[in-house]
Amino acid sequence: MSAPVSRKLSNAFEGALAGGGDPATSPLYVFGPFLKLIVVAGVAEVTFGTSVWLVVFTIAMVSAMYRLVMRWVTDGSGGSGLTEEEFGGWAVKINAGITFVEYTLTFLVSMAALVTFIADRLPMLNNKFLWWDYRALVAVLLSIFTGWAVNRGPKVAAAIFGPATAAVLALLWAMNIATVLKFGLHLPNFSLQAFSGPYLHYTLAGYARILAVMTGIEVFANLVAAYDGSPEEKSRKAFGSLLIIMGTAAVTMLVTGPAIFRLSDPTNLEVSVFTQTMDKLLPPSLAYAGTLVGIAVLLSASAASAQGLQNLALGLKNRHYIPSLIGRRNRHGVADMPVWIEVGIASLCFLFIGTSEETYLSIYAAGVFILLSMTGWAATRRLLRELRAAFDLSHAATLVGTVIAAFLTTGATVIIFAERFEEGAWTYFLFIPVLYFIFTYYRNKLGAPSPLKEQLGRLEEAMWSVRAVPPGGGEAMVTPLPQLETVWIGEPGRMAAWKAPAASLKHILVPLGGTAYAEQAVDVAVQLAKAFGGHITLLTVLRTREPHPADPQAQEALAMVKREKEAYLRGVAERVEKQGVEVAYEVGVGPIVEVINHLVAERGVDLLVMTTHSKSAFQRWLMGSKASRILQLVNVPILVFRPQHESDTRRLAFRRLLVPLDGSALAERVLPYTRALAEAFDGKVILLGVPEIPDPALYGTMADIVAQLRAQAEAKLRAYLNAVVGALQETGMPVEMVIAGHEPPQAILAVGEEKDVDLIMLTSHGHGAQDAVLLGSTAERVVHHSQRPVFLAPIGEKRS
């Protein structure tokens, strides 16, 4: 498979613009909470400079640590990938949980800072409309707009939000230059007195408040795979991008930070300290332009966080940590549900908690430093392992620096939780255990994914804003990936199962509700009974309870209804008998699924034939559907189809049978039934394989890596299907093989139409009603969207 054409990042500056939107915005809002604390307490002259220098030192040490991460992990999974390699499954869930919270908080902080910038120029937004500030309503409207734009796909989002990072970098450097021209270069003072007596608390508390300047640093490790060149060149360019953004942040802290301290009034609640400083440092036109730049870049940071959440959901879906419904792609190729969840959470927070960025910064910074400290200890662990294998002085020195970074990030985490526990950091003790439980539940429910899907999931989780890079010219560089697994041909005994004797379909059960549409199932059952020399049982179920023996009136009323239903069934049975098919009928009382399962077990039913009407997944879950409950809970093969209008005289046929297979023994349980129908109706079998890796074109600059994963998935699937084709052809069955698509339900429906099949045959996963909606059962989705009949073989054996 040839590599797709995709624009790669060619240099460090391009990477800084592609991924630096979030970290570049942090100087715009971190000074307000910091200065408010130390100025009001009257300790600013002693603690300001020391807190700033501590942050700059932390930036330097953590950046050096990420140089290691970028050398080791070049597939785009970054620090999260390293911690998963070093610590295993628990780190995956902790990373995912914190990352989910962080994306939502990035959205909250960026949008809150955005409306603060708007309110700086439009003070009327601080007034109230009914119960809410106008700024809260503006934040909600902008959140909805951002969600809509992001869910239209990365190209639309990029076109709307644009490369605002370049503008904010220009703004920060303009502030730095203006500060030097007006006041000279005066770096903050580092005072040892800040660590003594009453000052220590405020020094550490201020340090905790401005640590949010390091948010988003992880994105540069995730961007490694998006550059062109060799792995070493990619990691070098990614580190260069990190230095551009974090270097700008550090210089701004040291150069413009003292000016903000000197020129702004943190007790002024009407105008942010950054805007106050811009107004005094820059000409009026540039100051207002700076506000527009701040608005644009904060809006783009909100959009980037939403895109990050989309990618996280896609990755967790592929890794089987969340139900597929949440990670399902829309028609624009992105997972839209997570974004609307994020927008909903953000809107509620803005309306009922407020739009002050300080409110969310404590939770924001806490999560960032949990992730950074995990990365630091993972890097330490890997360096120790390398040193044990071969001691080297330079590696030992690197280890010392990495240990310092790990201690710094861990210490910062402790300080943040200690200082801001009651202000919101406590919520991690609620959020993370809940998300950890959810991820564990669905992983156990869905089972482990294949290594290919695991690898894809890791890439998707780490993509952040990579897909927002506009595509352009240039051919993608292909970095060879290791073969993650050998091509599977078949376990011992599986091939014999493929050639097993045809299943019995002699006893056919037809549930009837009294409508002409439902009775179309009788005609199909007659057709099948004639082909297999079988017989039919007609069933009507009264969904009520048997009356109490002491209530003769209720018993008589039920008996009357039963006689009416029996008369109806007798009339249908007479029509069936005239066609030369043996038939019986019965009226059952009770829940329909229980009655059917009882009859299946008691009478040895081989097949259930019924009609269904389509409803949305939400409607089926909320209101229930007779067909849906039967599909999910009845442990017997089911043939289900949409009833035809009276004007449509076509008869259902069984000549072209579409059978999707995924390489699992469970999916192959439909094959004995396929053979039965193919032999009875002289039919042809079309085997469909759907590669588990999506179209690489969806992944922008990551397309080359995904293309290799896709090629491996197709090779594995082709080898497997070739083996099945050979085994079935030995039985005399005509067989065709098709490999297409990447989402099974859509691929099955599309190939069914393209090949004009008469019947789609697959296994049902047997989930309950709620699980079927949440887990995204392929069978459920095919049944409720297919215009063609569907045959479902159960996973379990038929009850006897």
Side-chain angles (χ1 to χ4, degrees), residues 527-557:
Q527 187 179 353
L528 291 168
K530 287 181 176 180
F532 290 105
H535 57 284
I536 298 171
T537 296
L538 307 176
L539 171 67
T540 289
V541 179
L542 302 177
R543 285 179 280 180
T544 184
R545 296 181 179 275
E546 290 281 359
H548 195 277
D551 188 351
Q553 288 186 333
Q555 286 186 322
E556 176 57 30

PDB file of all heavy atoms in Angstrom, residues 527-557:
ATOM      1  N   GLN A 527     -41.539 -20.255   2.761  1.00  0.00           N
ATOM      2  CA  GLN A 527     -40.484 -20.460   1.767  1.00  0.00           C
ATOM      3  C   GLN A 527     -39.341 -21.286   2.365  1.00  0.00           C
ATOM      4  O   GLN A 527     -38.825 -22.228   1.743  1.00  0.00           O
ATOM      5  CB  GLN A 527     -39.979 -19.089   1.302  1.00  0.00           C
ATOM      6  CG  GLN A 527     -39.003 -19.109   0.145  1.00  0.00           C
ATOM      7  CD  GLN A 527     -38.593 -17.696  -0.251  1.00  0.00           C
ATOM      8  OE1 GLN A 527     -39.118 -16.706   0.250  1.00  0.00           O
ATOM      9  NE2 GLN A 527     -37.631 -17.606  -1.156  1.00  0.00           N
ATOM     10  N   LEU A 528     -38.931 -20.964   3.584  1.00  0.00           N
ATOM     11  CA  LEU A 528     -37.835 -21.681   4.243  1.00  0.00           C
ATOM     12  C   LEU A 528     -38.260 -23.100   4.635  1.00  0.00           C
ATOM     13  O   LEU A 528     -37.493 -24.063   4.487  1.00  0.00           O
ATOM     14  CB  LEU A 528     -37.380 -20.909   5.484  1.00  0.00           C
ATOM     15  CG  LEU A 528     -36.667 -19.584   5.212  1.00  0.00           C
ATOM     16  CD1 LEU A 528     -36.528 -18.762   6.499  1.00  0.00           C
ATOM     17  CD2 LEU A 528     -35.296 -19.833   4.600  1.00  0.00           C
ATOM     18  N   ALA A 529     -39.493 -23.244   5.118  1.00  0.00           N
ATOM     19  CA  ALA A 529     -39.965 -24.562   5.538  1.00  0.00           C
ATOM     20  C   ALA A 529     -40.023 -25.525   4.355  1.00  0.00           C
ATOM     21  O   ALA A 529     -39.668 -26.706   4.479  1.00  0.00           O
ATOM     22  CB  ALA A 529     -41.338 -24.441   6.193  1.00  0.00           C
ATOM     23  N   LYS A 530     -40.422 -25.033   3.201  1.00  0.00           N
ATOM     24  CA  LYS A 530     -40.451 -25.881   2.015  1.00  0.00           C
ATOM     25  C   LYS A 530     -39.034 -26.296   1.605  1.00  0.00           C
ATOM     26  O   LYS A 530     -38.795 -27.447   1.236  1.00  0.00           O
ATOM     27  CB  LYS A 530     -41.135 -25.145   0.856  1.00  0.00           C
ATOM     28  CG  LYS A 530     -42.648 -25.009   1.006  1.00  0.00           C
ATOM     29  CD  LYS A 530     -43.229 -24.292  -0.205  1.00  0.00           C
ATOM     30  CE  LYS A 530     -44.754 -24.224  -0.136  1.00  0.00           C
ATOM     31  NZ  LYS A 530     -45.332 -23.531  -1.313  1.00  0.00           N
ATOM     32  N   ALA A 531     -38.108 -25.349   1.699  1.00  0.00           N
ATOM     33  CA  ALA A 531     -36.733 -25.651   1.287  1.00  0.00           C
ATOM     34  C   ALA A 531     -36.081 -26.671   2.201  1.00  0.00           C
ATOM     35  O   ALA A 531     -35.292 -27.506   1.759  1.00  0.00           O
ATOM     36  CB  ALA A 531     -35.907 -24.365   1.259  1.00  0.00           C
ATOM     37  N   PHE A 532     -36.424 -26.630   3.499  1.00  0.00           N
ATOM     38  CA  PHE A 532     -35.763 -27.518   4.468  1.00  0.00           C
ATOM     39  C   PHE A 532     -36.638 -28.696   4.907  1.00  0.00           C
ATOM     40  O   PHE A 532     -36.224 -29.479   5.765  1.00  0.00           O
ATOM     41  CB  PHE A 532     -35.357 -26.708   5.709  1.00  0.00           C
ATOM     42  CG  PHE A 532     -34.233 -25.734   5.450  1.00  0.00           C
ATOM     43  CD1 PHE A 532     -34.493 -24.371   5.349  1.00  0.00           C
ATOM     44  CD2 PHE A 532     -32.927 -26.165   5.281  1.00  0.00           C
ATOM     45  CE1 PHE A 532     -33.479 -23.470   5.098  1.00  0.00           C
ATOM     46  CE2 PHE A 532     -31.903 -25.269   5.041  1.00  0.00           C
ATOM     47  CZ  PHE A 532     -32.179 -23.915   4.939  1.00  0.00           C
ATOM     48  N   GLY A 533     -37.850 -28.798   4.314  1.00  0.00           N
ATOM     49  CA  GLY A 533     -38.749 -29.874   4.745  1.00  0.00           C
ATOM     50  C   GLY A 533     -39.140 -29.719   6.197  1.00  0.00           C
ATOM     51  O   GLY A 533     -39.253 -30.718   6.940  1.00  0.00           O
ATOM     52  N   GLY A 534     -39.373 -28.505   6.628  1.00  0.00           N
ATOM     53  CA  GLY A 534     -39.626 -28.246   8.036  1.00  0.00           C
ATOM     54  C   GLY A 534     -41.064 -27.861   8.324  1.00  0.00           C
ATOM     55  O   GLY A 534     -41.961 -28.032   7.490  1.00  0.00           O
ATOM     56  N   HIS A 535     -41.304 -27.345   9.511  1.00  0.00           N
ATOM     57  CA  HIS A 535     -42.647 -26.959   9.926  1.00  0.00           C
ATOM     58  C   HIS A 535     -42.574 -25.632  10.682  1.00  0.00           C
ATOM     59  O   HIS A 535     -41.498 -25.182  11.103  1.00  0.00           O
ATOM     60  CB  HIS A 535     -43.287 -28.033  10.809  1.00  0.00           C
ATOM     61  CG  HIS A 535     -42.493 -28.360  12.029  1.00  0.00           C
ATOM     62  ND1 HIS A 535     -41.351 -29.126  11.996  1.00  0.00           N
ATOM     63  CD2 HIS A 535     -42.679 -28.030  13.338  1.00  0.00           C
ATOM     64  CE1 HIS A 535     -40.851 -29.259  13.209  1.00  0.00           C
ATOM     65  NE2 HIS A 535     -41.634 -28.607  14.040  1.00  0.00           N
ATOM     66  N   ILE A 536     -43.755 -25.022  10.867  1.00  0.00           N
ATOM     67  CA  ILE A 536     -43.851 -23.664  11.407  1.00  0.00           C
ATOM     68  C   ILE A 536     -44.711 -23.664  12.652  1.00  0.00           C
ATOM     69  O   ILE A 536     -45.720 -24.373  12.732  1.00  0.00           O
ATOM     70  CB  ILE A 536     -44.447 -22.705  10.358  1.00  0.00           C
ATOM     71  CG1 ILE A 536     -43.537 -22.626   9.122  1.00  0.00           C
ATOM     72  CG2 ILE A 536     -44.677 -21.320  10.936  1.00  0.00           C
ATOM     73  CD1 ILE A 536     -44.169 -21.870   7.962  1.00  0.00           C
ATOM     74  N   THR A 537     -44.326 -22.826  13.631  1.00  0.00           N
ATOM     75  CA  THR A 537     -45.186 -22.529  14.776  1.00  0.00           C
ATOM     76  C   THR A 537     -45.480 -21.040  14.763  1.00  0.00           C
ATOM     77  O   THR A 537     -44.546 -20.215  14.714  1.00  0.00           O
ATOM     78  CB  THR A 537     -44.521 -22.918  16.100  1.00  0.00           C
ATOM     79  OG1 THR A 537     -44.329 -24.328  16.144  1.00  0.00           O
ATOM     80  CG2 THR A 537     -45.376 -22.494  17.282  1.00  0.00           C
ATOM     81  N   LEU A 538     -46.768 -20.701  14.773  1.00  0.00           N
ATOM     82  CA  LEU A 538     -47.184 -19.302  14.846  1.00  0.00           C
ATOM     83  C   LEU A 538     -47.425 -18.942  16.310  1.00  0.00           C
ATOM     84  O   LEU A 538     -48.004 -19.731  17.056  1.00  0.00           O
ATOM     85  CB  LEU A 538     -48.458 -19.076  14.039  1.00  0.00           C
ATOM     86  CG  LEU A 538     -48.433 -19.550  12.578  1.00  0.00           C
ATOM     87  CD1 LEU A 538     -49.809 -19.355  11.936  1.00  0.00           C
ATOM     88  CD2 LEU A 538     -47.370 -18.783  11.799  1.00  0.00           C
ATOM     89  N   LEU A 539     -47.000 -17.752  16.696  1.00  0.00           N
ATOM     90  CA  LEU A 539     -47.097 -17.368  18.110  1.00  0.00           C
ATOM     91  C   LEU A 539     -47.603 -15.944  18.235  1.00  0.00           C
ATOM     92  O   LEU A 539     -47.126 -15.035  17.555  1.00  0.00           O
ATOM     93  CB  LEU A 539     -45.718 -17.472  18.790  1.00  0.00           C
ATOM     94  CG  LEU A 539     -45.612 -16.909  20.213  1.00  0.00           C
ATOM     95  CD1 LEU A 539     -46.444 -17.741  21.191  1.00  0.00           C
ATOM     96  CD2 LEU A 539     -44.168 -16.833  20.664  1.00  0.00           C
ATOM     97  N   THR A 540     -48.594 -15.763  19.106  1.00  0.00           N
ATOM     98  CA  THR A 540     -49.009 -14.431  19.526  1.00  0.00           C
ATOM     99  C   THR A 540     -48.860 -14.370  21.046  1.00  0.00           C
ATOM    100  O   THR A 540     -49.242 -15.304  21.746  1.00  0.00           O
ATOM    101  CB  THR A 540     -50.468 -14.139  19.138  1.00  0.00           C
ATOM    102  OG1 THR A 540     -50.537 -13.966  17.719  1.00  0.00           O
ATOM    103  CG2 THR A 540     -50.963 -12.870  19.803  1.00  0.00           C
ATOM    104  N   VAL A 541     -48.300 -13.285  21.528  1.00  0.00           N
ATOM    105  CA  VAL A 541     -48.035 -13.152  22.959  1.00  0.00           C
ATOM    106  C   VAL A 541     -48.893 -12.032  23.530  1.00  0.00           C
ATOM    107  O   VAL A 541     -48.896 -10.910  23.012  1.00  0.00           O
ATOM    108  CB  VAL A 541     -46.548 -12.854  23.219  1.00  0.00           C
ATOM    109  CG1 VAL A 541     -46.300 -12.696  24.724  1.00  0.00           C
ATOM    110  CG2 VAL A 541     -45.675 -13.961  22.654  1.00  0.00           C
ATOM    111  N   LEU A 542     -49.630 -12.364  24.596  1.00  0.00           N
ATOM    112  CA  LEU A 542     -50.392 -11.365  25.343  1.00  0.00           C
ATOM    113  C   LEU A 542     -49.475 -10.869  26.462  1.00  0.00           C
ATOM    114  O   LEU A 542     -49.161 -11.617  27.387  1.00  0.00           O
ATOM    115  CB  LEU A 542     -51.667 -11.969  25.921  1.00  0.00           C
ATOM    116  CG  LEU A 542     -52.619 -12.599  24.898  1.00  0.00           C
ATOM    117  CD1 LEU A 542     -53.813 -13.224  25.609  1.00  0.00           C
ATOM    118  CD2 LEU A 542     -53.080 -11.556  23.904  1.00  0.00           C
ATOM    119  N   ARG A 543     -49.047  -9.632  26.339  1.00  0.00           N
ATOM    120  CA  ARG A 543     -48.060  -9.132  27.308  1.00  0.00           C
ATOM    121  C   ARG A 543     -48.758  -8.667  28.589  1.00  0.00           C
ATOM    122  O   ARG A 543     -48.909  -7.487  28.861  1.00  0.00           O
ATOM    123  CB  ARG A 543     -47.244  -8.016  26.673  1.00  0.00           C
ATOM    124  CG  ARG A 543     -46.228  -8.552  25.680  1.00  0.00           C
ATOM    125  CD  ARG A 543     -45.444  -7.458  25.026  1.00  0.00           C
ATOM    126  NE  ARG A 543     -46.183  -6.836  23.936  1.00  0.00           N
ATOM    127  CZ  ARG A 543     -45.723  -5.840  23.193  1.00  0.00           C
ATOM    128  NH1 ARG A 543     -44.534  -5.337  23.440  1.00  0.00           N
ATOM    129  NH2 ARG A 543     -46.453  -5.348  22.217  1.00  0.00           N
ATOM    130  N   THR A 544     -49.213  -9.615  29.320  1.00  0.00           N
ATOM    131  CA  THR A 544     -49.864  -9.368  30.596  1.00  0.00           C
ATOM    132  C   THR A 544     -49.511 -10.504  31.543  1.00  0.00           C
ATOM    133  O   THR A 544     -48.812 -11.438  31.157  1.00  0.00           O
ATOM    134  CB  THR A 544     -51.389  -9.262  30.417  1.00  0.00           C
ATOM    135  OG1 THR A 544     -51.982  -8.923  31.666  1.00  0.00           O
ATOM    136  CG2 THR A 544     -51.975 -10.587  29.929  1.00  0.00           C
ATOM    137  N   ARG A 545     -49.966 -10.431  32.759  1.00  0.00           N
ATOM    138  CA  ARG A 545     -49.709 -11.487  33.732  1.00  0.00           C
ATOM    139  C   ARG A 545     -50.918 -12.417  33.831  1.00  0.00           C
ATOM    140  O   ARG A 545     -52.065 -12.006  33.603  1.00  0.00           O
ATOM    141  CB  ARG A 545     -49.421 -10.891  35.118  1.00  0.00           C
ATOM    142  CG  ARG A 545     -48.153 -10.050  35.170  1.00  0.00           C
ATOM    143  CD  ARG A 545     -47.923  -9.510  36.577  1.00  0.00           C
ATOM    144  NE  ARG A 545     -46.703  -8.725  36.662  1.00  0.00           N
ATOM    145  CZ  ARG A 545     -45.497  -9.246  36.872  1.00  0.00           C
ATOM    146  NH1 ARG A 545     -45.381 -10.560  37.027  1.00  0.00           N
ATOM    147  NH2 ARG A 545     -44.428  -8.475  36.929  1.00  0.00           N
ATOM    148  N   GLU A 546     -50.650 -13.659  34.153  1.00  0.00           N
ATOM    149  CA  GLU A 546     -51.748 -14.575  34.408  1.00  0.00           C
ATOM    150  C   GLU A 546     -52.527 -14.080  35.618  1.00  0.00           C
ATOM    151  O   GLU A 546     -51.937 -13.732  36.646  1.00  0.00           O
ATOM    152  CB  GLU A 546     -51.216 -15.983  34.695  1.00  0.00           C
ATOM    153  CG  GLU A 546     -50.621 -16.695  33.496  1.00  0.00           C
ATOM    154  CD  GLU A 546     -51.699 -17.283  32.581  1.00  0.00           C
ATOM    155  OE1 GLU A 546     -52.898 -17.147  32.911  1.00  0.00           O
ATOM    156  OE2 GLU A 546     -51.329 -17.838  31.533  1.00  0.00           O
ATOM    157  N   PRO A 547     -53.871 -13.986  35.534  1.00  0.00           N
ATOM    158  CA  PRO A 547     -54.648 -13.469  36.668  1.00  0.00           C
ATOM    159  C   PRO A 547     -54.606 -14.414  37.862  1.00  0.00           C
ATOM    160  O   PRO A 547     -54.326 -15.605  37.735  1.00  0.00           O
ATOM    161  CB  PRO A 547     -56.067 -13.369  36.105  1.00  0.00           C
ATOM    162  CG  PRO A 547     -56.093 -14.339  34.980  1.00  0.00           C
ATOM    163  CD  PRO A 547     -54.712 -14.353  34.396  1.00  0.00           C
ATOM    164  N   HIS A 548     -54.884 -13.874  39.017  1.00  0.00           N
ATOM    165  CA  HIS A 548     -54.904 -14.671  40.255  1.00  0.00           C
ATOM    166  C   HIS A 548     -56.050 -15.677  40.184  1.00  0.00           C
ATOM    167  O   HIS A 548     -57.146 -15.347  39.700  1.00  0.00           O
ATOM    168  CB  HIS A 548     -55.084 -13.738  41.461  1.00  0.00           C
ATOM    169  CG  HIS A 548     -54.768 -14.406  42.760  1.00  0.00           C
ATOM    170  ND1 HIS A 548     -55.685 -15.189  43.433  1.00  0.00           N
ATOM    171  CD2 HIS A 548     -53.631 -14.411  43.502  1.00  0.00           C
ATOM    172  CE1 HIS A 548     -55.139 -15.650  44.545  1.00  0.00           C
ATOM    173  NE2 HIS A 548     -53.877 -15.192  44.616  1.00  0.00           N
ATOM    174  N   PRO A 549     -55.820 -16.912  40.640  1.00  0.00           N
ATOM    175  CA  PRO A 549     -56.904 -17.933  40.587  1.00  0.00           C
ATOM    176  C   PRO A 549     -58.179 -17.493  41.291  1.00  0.00           C
ATOM    177  O   PRO A 549     -59.268 -17.949  40.943  1.00  0.00           O
ATOM    178  CB  PRO A 549     -56.263 -19.143  41.290  1.00  0.00           C
ATOM    179  CG  PRO A 549     -54.788 -18.945  41.126  1.00  0.00           C
ATOM    180  CD  PRO A 549     -54.560 -17.466  41.157  1.00  0.00           C
ATOM    181  N   ALA A 550     -58.057 -16.591  42.284  1.00  0.00           N
ATOM    182  CA  ALA A 550     -59.247 -16.158  43.038  1.00  0.00           C
ATOM    183  C   ALA A 550     -59.992 -15.023  42.339  1.00  0.00           C
ATOM    184  O   ALA A 550     -60.920 -14.457  42.915  1.00  0.00           O
ATOM    185  CB  ALA A 550     -58.819 -15.708  44.438  1.00  0.00           C
ATOM    186  N   ASP A 551     -59.586 -14.702  41.110  1.00  0.00           N
ATOM    187  CA  ASP A 551     -60.219 -13.603  40.383  1.00  0.00           C
ATOM    188  C   ASP A 551     -60.844 -14.160  39.103  1.00  0.00           C
ATOM    189  O   ASP A 551     -60.283 -14.068  38.015  1.00  0.00           O
ATOM    190  CB  ASP A 551     -59.177 -12.532  40.049  1.00  0.00           C
ATOM    191  CG  ASP A 551     -59.829 -11.263  39.468  1.00  0.00           C
ATOM    192  OD1 ASP A 551     -61.038 -11.288  39.166  1.00  0.00           O
ATOM    193  OD2 ASP A 551     -59.098 -10.253  39.297  1.00  0.00           O
ATOM    194  N   PRO A 552     -62.045 -14.754  39.195  1.00  0.00           N
ATOM    195  CA  PRO A 552     -62.662 -15.407  38.024  1.00  0.00           C
ATOM    196  C   PRO A 552     -62.981 -14.440  36.893  1.00  0.00           C
ATOM    197  O   PRO A 552     -62.934 -14.810  35.730  1.00  0.00           O
ATOM    198  CB  PRO A 552     -63.945 -16.014  38.609  1.00  0.00           C
ATOM    199  CG  PRO A 552     -64.210 -15.249  39.862  1.00  0.00           C
ATOM    200  CD  PRO A 552     -62.874 -14.850  40.403  1.00  0.00           C
ATOM    201  N   GLN A 553     -63.312 -13.178  37.218  1.00  0.00           N
ATOM    202  CA  GLN A 553     -63.628 -12.225  36.156  1.00  0.00           C
ATOM    203  C   GLN A 553     -62.399 -11.948  35.275  1.00  0.00           C
ATOM    204  O   GLN A 553     -62.484 -11.914  34.039  1.00  0.00           O
ATOM    205  CB  GLN A 553     -64.122 -10.909  36.766  1.00  0.00           C
ATOM    206  CG  GLN A 553     -65.531 -11.031  37.372  1.00  0.00           C
ATOM    207  CD  GLN A 553     -66.056  -9.695  37.847  1.00  0.00           C
ATOM    208  OE1 GLN A 553     -65.282  -8.811  38.200  1.00  0.00           O
ATOM    209  NE2 GLN A 553     -67.377  -9.543  37.882  1.00  0.00           N
ATOM    210  N   ALA A 554     -61.249 -11.766  35.919  1.00  0.00           N
ATOM    211  CA  ALA A 554     -60.020 -11.532  35.159  1.00  0.00           C
ATOM    212  C   ALA A 554     -59.650 -12.761  34.341  1.00  0.00           C
ATOM    213  O   ALA A 554     -59.176 -12.642  33.204  1.00  0.00           O
ATOM    214  CB  ALA A 554     -58.880 -11.167  36.109  1.00  0.00           C
ATOM    215  N   GLN A 555     -59.881 -13.936  34.918  1.00  0.00           N
ATOM    216  CA  GLN A 555     -59.573 -15.163  34.185  1.00  0.00           C
ATOM    217  C   GLN A 555     -60.450 -15.284  32.947  1.00  0.00           C
ATOM    218  O   GLN A 555     -59.987 -15.676  31.872  1.00  0.00           O
ATOM    219  CB  GLN A 555     -59.763 -16.378  35.090  1.00  0.00           C
ATOM    220  CG  GLN A 555     -58.671 -16.552  36.118  1.00  0.00           C
ATOM    221  CD  GLN A 555     -58.831 -17.848  36.900  1.00  0.00           C
ATOM    222  OE1 GLN A 555     -59.945 -18.252  37.226  1.00  0.00           O
ATOM    223  NE2 GLN A 555     -57.716 -18.493  37.177  1.00  0.00           N
ATOM    224  N   GLU A 556     -61.732 -14.953  33.092  1.00  0.00           N
ATOM    225  CA  GLU A 556     -62.650 -15.043  31.957  1.00  0.00           C
ATOM    226  C   GLU A 556     -62.293 -14.027  30.874  1.00  0.00           C
ATOM    227  O   GLU A 556     -62.338 -14.317  29.681  1.00  0.00           O
ATOM    228  CB  GLU A 556     -64.083 -14.812  32.442  1.00  0.00           C
ATOM    229  CG  GLU A 556     -65.121 -14.795  31.320  1.00  0.00           C
ATOM    230  CD  GLU A 556     -65.120 -16.080  30.489  1.00  0.00           C
ATOM    231  OE1 GLU A 556     -64.790 -17.171  31.039  1.00  0.00           O
ATOM    232  OE2 GLU A 556     -65.420 -16.005  29.281  1.00  0.00           O
ATOM    233  N   ALA A 557     -61.895 -12.791  31.320  1.00  0.00           N
ATOM    234  CA  ALA A 557     -61.503 -11.759  30.360  1.00  0.00           C
ATOM    235  C   ALA A 557     -60.280 -12.210  29.565  1.00  0.00           C
ATOM    236  O   ALA A 557     -60.197 -12.025  28.336  1.00  0.00           O
ATOM    237  CB  ALA A 557     -61.222 -10.442  31.084  1.00  0.00           C
TER     238      ALA A 557
END
